[in-house]
Amino acid sequence: MAGTTQPSAIDDILAEHAGLEQQLSDPALHNDASAARKAGKRFAELAPIMSTYTKLKAAQDDLAAARELAVDDSSFAAEVPELEAQVLGLDKALTDLLAPRDPHDGDDVVLEVKSGEGGEESALFASDLARMYVRYAERHGWRVEVLDATVSDLGGYKDATLSIKSKGEVRDGVWARLKFEGGVHRVQRVPVTESQGRVHTSAAGVLVYPEPEEVEEVQIDETDLRIDVYRSSGKGGQGVNTTDSAVRITHLPTGIVVTCQNERSQLQNKARAMQVLAARLQAAAEEAADAEASAGRQSQVRTVDRSERIRTYNFPENRITDHRIGFKSHNLDAVLDGELDALLDALGKADREARLAAE
């Protein structure tokens, strides 16, 4: 194969794709819903690679034919440079698709937003960030569920927990796009509480971790849990504030606290909170076991402090700056309305380049 693509890597993918195709055509597989779902998801993940590989092979065949015909007919010589460029581009695209991937890229996520320094202004900014992620999810057809939220006096979020799930089986899922969002986000603007029109700086923190469809590795000992129930707060209909349906689970060995008040019953809230706890423990276990993953996630929130930030949202200049890759754009309004793709594309490109360099 021409170019830089590793033959062994594509050979492995071709064999895996053929095997999955055979499995999915076997009616017996679909008797096990979990196994069928996993096979279908992986088959869909391989689709972009297979499509690019097919196009590359066709372009290589066309190039070989043009070169052969050009020997006897100079009119075909003009096609050679164009086909060479096409082959080179497709080969580069395939090499990129075959780059080492985060194993959680196809997973859904749980995303937490927490206010930090700045009081009410920080809580209002935290709610702006939560809305930004909700709008981004809506643009991509994802489902968003607010698992828990604590509202400030002015309607901001002291903290909020969102579950964001994709509706389809795609190679680059929710985690692949939002995994770069963990960290301290800084805002520079005139707060609604500021009477002198002065620009203030405050910060909010974002935590994001994968929520696999099934968390099989984590075993949770019930004796390690403290479970508290309390009355739900905020909007929610007639049942709110009348029954102790909200659930808070504290994992005593790690100090991880998960709350859920979105569901209508205490049992539903407990089940959902246990799912989130399992996902958080899974992420923590992977960090402890994998030094590279741990280093990669150190950019997430440690202290929600203005000096420790991954990104700045400057309202007076309508500018957003991601300090990790030096990305800048002057469309802050659009970004806060969910237009994050340009920024996330740049972060994804930097991540892929780093993975390729580490091979």
Side-chain angles (χ1 to χ4, degrees), residues 14-24:
L14 292 172
E16 183 182 7
H17 186 268
L20 286 168
E21 194 169 33
Q22 186 173 4
Q23 287 182 46
L24 290 167

Side-chain angles (χ1 to χ4, degrees), residues 113-129 152-158 185-194 198-205 306 313-316 332 336:
V113 182
K114 299 177 181 293
S115 62
E117 291 186 2
E120 281 290 352
E121 164 62 5
S122 176
L124 289 169
F125 177 53
S127 68
D128 289 340
L129 290 176
S152 70
D153 292 340
L154 293 182
Y157 280 150
K158 293 181 180 178
H185 296 240
R186 184 176 68 169
V187 63
Q188 295 172 323
R189 67 182 176 187
V190 179
V192 295
T193 55
E194 168 59 50
R198 293 172 296 186
V199 174
H200 287 231
T201 299
S202 63
R306 285 190 293 262
Y313 303 73
N314 186 306
F315 276 70
L332 178 55
L336 288 174

Side-chain angles (χ1 to χ4, degrees), residues 43-79:
F43 189 77
E45 287 175 351
L46 296 181
I49 297 178
M50 295 302 299
S51 174
T52 304
Y53 173 74
T54 301
K55 292 177 183 176
L56 175 59
K57 292 297 293 179
Q60 288 175 328
D61 291 343
D62 290 344
L63 176 59
R67 284 173 172 167
E68 184 176 346
L69 291 169
V71 174
D72 299 319
D73 188 343
S74 60
S75 63
F76 287 99
E79 297 181 19

Side-chain angles (χ1 to χ4, degrees), residues 29-42:
L29 173 69
H30 301 276
N31 293 329
D32 184 340
S34 176
R37 187 165 55 247
K38 288 180 180 178
K41 183 176 182 179
R42 180 57 178 161

Side-chain angles (χ1 to χ4, degrees), residues 160-178:
T161 303
L162 310 178
S163 170
I164 306 178
K165 297 179 179 290
S166 63
K167 292 182 180 179
E169 294 175 340
V170 294
R171 177 174 174 80
D172 285 336
V174 183
W175 173 256
R177 298 300 284 170
L178 296 182

Side-chain angles (χ1 to χ4, degrees), residues 107-231:
D107 289 343
D108 299 321
V109 307
V110 173
L111 185 146
E112 298 179 19
V113 182
K114 299 177 181 293
S115 62
E117 291 186 2
E120 281 290 352
E121 164 62 5
S122 176
L124 289 169
F125 177 53
S127 68
D128 289 340
L129 290 176
R131 178 183 179 277
M132 177 180 74
Y133 294 124
V134 170
R135 293 288 292 119
Y136 182 74
E138 290 172 348
R139 290 173 184 272
H140 285 262
W142 298 339
R143 296 192 303 269
V144 180
E145 181 183 5
V146 180
L147 300 180
D148 189 58
T150 305
V151 181
S152 70
D153 292 340
L154 293 182
Y157 280 150
K158 293 181 180 178
D159 57 73
T161 303
L162 310 178
S163 170
I164 306 178
K165 297 179 179 290
S166 63
K167 292 182 180 179
E169 294 175 340
V170 294
R171 177 174 174 80
D172 285 336
V174 183
W175 173 256
R177 298 300 284 170
L178 296 182
K179 63 184 175 183
F180 308 109
E181 292 305 291
V184 176
H185 296 240
R186 184 176 68 169
V187 63
Q188 295 172 323
R189 67 182 176 187
V190 179
V192 295
T193 55
E194 168 59 50
S195 60
Q196 303 299 318
R198 293 172 296 186
V199 174
H200 287 231
T201 299
S202 63
V206 174
L207 286 167
V208 56
Y209 40 92
E211 185 183 16
E213 203 166 320
E214 297 176 4
V215 183
E216 300 172 348
E217 294 85 349
V218 175
Q219 299 295 323
I220 301 176
D221 189 337
E222 290 281 342
T223 62
D224 289 337
L225 303 179
R226 185 177 73 239
I227 301 176
D228 303 304
V229 296
Y230 56 98
R231 290 188 178 182

